[in-house]
Amino acid sequence: MKTTFLNDIFQIHNFEFDLDELKEEIKEITRYRSDTKNTIGWTQFSLQTDSPDKKGIKHSQESVGKAMGEDWELSFKYPLFDAPIINSFIEHFKLHRTRLMIQEPRSVLTYHKDWSQRIHLPIDTHEDCMMLLKDNAYHLEEGKIYFTNTTKKHTAFNCHNSKRRLHIVGCLPLNTRTWE
């Protein structure tokens, strides 16, 4: 296995996919966004839920917000959508509470720590998007997969005037590197 080490961020090279096909899956999932109430301003869009019986957009906000502990977070493990690439990505890395993270232009997240480490897959990004982890800034390249140690203080910022930043982000089981 080949990994590139960048302090608390590693690029992972052992999952292959077609980025254009993945973007099509995301378009199909998010096209229903306008059919639901209160979607304006969504910054997170869940791809997993807490029950195998739940499917579709109406459940895509249930795992969004402040995490309420490890047990709660781990319960979000069932795919919400028929999305083969996304679901195989989630399964490959044994992720939970996976979601699309949408960051609008000229915005920054709070400086915070997460319960667990994460896997990031940038879908739409550009050189004006950065992740700050402790005191190091990183540009995560589109279509590449990264391990991020988000149990340390971090934030993300989008300094572009008009382009959004879109990542798939999934939580790893505590203290594991599931791809090894």
Side-chain angles (χ1 to χ4, degrees):
M1 178 197 60
K2 178 182 171 191
T3 57
T4 304
F5 182 68
L6 301 170
N7 296 325
D8 288 311
I9 296 179
F10 298 83
Q11 184 182 342
I12 302 168
H13 301 276
N14 72 345
F15 183 82
E16 293 186 22
F17 63 98
D18 184 300
L19 183 60
D20 291 329
E21 287 180 26
L22 177 59
K23 286 181 178 186
E24 286 302 314
E25 280 187 3
I26 291 169
K27 280 183 190 175
E28 182 65 23
I29 290 168
T30 58
R31 75 181 176 96
Y32 297 108
R33 200 171 143 183
S34 62
D35 298 338
T36 61
K37 294 180 184 177
N38 301 320
T39 59
I40 296 172
W42 280 11
T43 58
Q44 298 181 44
F45 191 92
S46 297
L47 299 171
Q48 289 177 286
T49 187
D50 60 351
S51 169
D53 300 326
K54 294 179 181 178
K55 296 290 179 199
I57 188 76
K58 65 184 176 180
H59 301 289
S60 67
Q61 291 297 288
E62 293 175 2
S63 74
V64 171
K66 194 167 185 76
M68 299 185 300
E70 180 185 351
D71 292 340
W72 175 84
E73 198 168 85
L74 288 172
S75 69
F76 288 84
K77 60 185 178 184
Y78 301 100
L80 270 171
F81 303 97
D82 179 20
I85 296 172
I86 292 170
N87 293 341
S88 66
F89 172 75
I90 290 169
E91 184 178 321
H92 180 80
F93 291 103
K94 299 175 183 66
L95 302 175
H96 59 275
R97 207 163 73 89
T98 305
R99 56 212 178 275
L100 292 175
M101 301 289 287
I102 304 161
Q103 190 171 19
E104 296 301 328
R106 298 179 295 171
S107 66
V108 63
L109 301 176
T110 60
Y111 196 46
H112 67 284
K113 293 179 182 181
D114 296 324
W115 283 87
S116 63
Q117 299 167 339
R118 309 283 163 93
I119 297 289
H120 274 255
L121 172 51
I123 306 300
D124 288 321
T125 190
H126 45 81
E127 62 188 21
D128 296 333
C129 290
M130 301 290 250
M131 181 172 189
L132 181 69
L133 185 59
K134 295 181 3 184
D135 12 350
N136 296 307
Y138 303 91
H139 170 67
L140 306 184
E141 294 180 49
E142 183 174 295
K144 296 185 178 179
I145 300 168
Y146 297 88
F147 161 83
T148 59
N149 187 357
T150 53
T151 63
K152 297 182 178 181
K153 287 194 96 168
H154 66 281
T155 185
F157 46 92
N158 181 352
C159 298
H160 199 277
N161 277 328
S162 60
K163 294 180 183 177
R164 72 176 184 176
R165 173 184 182 259
L166 175 70
H167 284 207
I168 294 177
V169 179
C171 302
L172 287 164
L174 289 179
N175 301 315
T176 65
R177 295 190 180 172
T178 56
W179 64 91
E180 294 180 327

